[in-house]
């Protein structure tokens, strides 16, 4: 019999600087009376047994969310790929097969996201990224621990593009979802739209 692998770590990528939000930290924007960080953690925790937040902010600002905070391994901010690196390093050290990432500014990510990504990951050995008819959504994906070396190498070389690394170098699998589950809250106007989308969703 094949030994069952442990579940991957769920990781909320919340390290953005919010430039298009006028410098406001998107993790603490409120949608339906709940911060985007709290919403992402709550929804991802339904899909995976362990959830962390990727952020360089003081961990105390996330107190009460029931998860731990992983800062980037390097002192300089290098985008979501640096968060993936930190998550993979933690997963490796914890004996986990990988991580499932979601972006904190994607408040409606699908309820079956983790299950479908894992199913496409070739036994949790391959990268699997979410996609829709509009294209790839690389901040929402499964990354196996074997990707840590290539991720660190890309960061060291100054190329921080998630999708480029996953598809060009790691043979990333695309998992196509229908609907608007990857709507991004990038600007103040998007938050207004998200409030209108909230009706009937959890």
């Amino acid at each position: 019999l094949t030994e069952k692998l442990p579940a991957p770590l769920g990781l909320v990528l919340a390290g953005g600087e919010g430039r298009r939000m006028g410098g406001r930290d998107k993790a603490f924007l409120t949608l339906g009376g709940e911060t985007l960080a709290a919403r992402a953690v709550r929804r991802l925790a339904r899909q995976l047994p362990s959830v962390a937040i990727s952020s360089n902010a003081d961990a105390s600002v996330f107190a009460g969310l029931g998860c731990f905070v992983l800062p980037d391994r390097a002192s300089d901010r290098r985008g979501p790929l640096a968060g993936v690196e930190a998550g993979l390093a933690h997963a490796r050290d914890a004996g986990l097969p990988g991580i499932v990432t979601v972006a904190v500014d994607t408040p409606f990510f699908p309820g079956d996201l983790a299950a479908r990504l894992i199913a496409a990951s070739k036994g949790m050995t391959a990268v699997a990224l979410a996609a829709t008819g509009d294209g790839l959504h690389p901040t929402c994906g499964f990354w196996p621990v074997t990707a840590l070396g290539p991720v660190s190498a890309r960061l060291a070389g100054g190329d921080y593009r998630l999708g480029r690394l996953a598809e060009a170098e790691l043979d990333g699998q695309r998992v196509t979802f229908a609907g608007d589950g990857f709507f991004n809250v990038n600007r103040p106007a998007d938050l207004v739209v998200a409030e209108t989308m909230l009706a009937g969703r959890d």
Side-chain angles (χ1 to χ4, degrees):
L1 294 176
T2 301
E3 183 179 354
K4 185 178 180 181
L5 292 171
L9 173 72
L11 185 64
V12 178
L13 299 174
E17 297 177 22
R19 286 188 293 268
R20 285 177 287 183
M21 276 288 179
R24 297 168 65 193
D25 190 331
K26 287 191 283 188
F28 300 104
L29 298 176
T30 302
L31 177 63
E34 184 178 34
T35 66
L36 293 186
R39 179 179 177 83
V41 168
R42 173 175 60 82
R43 299 181 75 246
L44 192 55
R46 293 176 179 170
Q47 303 184 36
L48 295 165
S50 180
V51 176
I53 292 177
S54 165
S55 175
N56 292 315
D58 190 304
S60 65
V61 301
F62 296 104
L65 295 188
C67 62
F68 57 96
V69 178
L70 290 175
D72 294 347
R73 299 174 84 194
S75 59
D76 55 328
R77 288 174 173 259
R78 296 186 290 188
L81 192 60
V84 170
E85 181 191 39
L88 287 173
H90 175 85
R92 177 200 60 194
D93 295 345
L96 301 178
I99 61 175
V100 172
T101 61
V102 298
V104 76
D105 60 359
T106 307
F108 306 115
F109 61 84
D112 61 350
L113 177 70
R116 289 191 59 193
L117 292 172
I118 292 169
S121 70
K122 302 179 181 180
M124 291 194 276
T125 64
V127 175
L129 300 180
T132 62
D134 296 330
L136 197 63
H137 302 280
T139 54
C140 295
F142 170 80
W143 297 77
V145 291
T146 52
L148 178 57
V151 166
S152 296
R154 279 292 178 114
L155 286 169
D159 188 345
Y160 310 143
R161 290 169 288 184
L162 282 170
R164 180 182 175 91
L165 168 62
E167 294 203 311
E169 185 175 337
L170 299 177
D171 190 29
Q173 308 298 301
R174 287 195 179 207
V175 182
T176 302
F177 293 81
D180 55 7
F182 300 100
F183 176 84
N184 282 110
V185 178
N186 285 321
R187 300 174 176 83
D190 296 331
L191 191 60
V192 175
V193 173
E195 288 286 356
T196 68
M197 296 171 63
L198 195 58
R201 306 191 196 216
D202 188 15

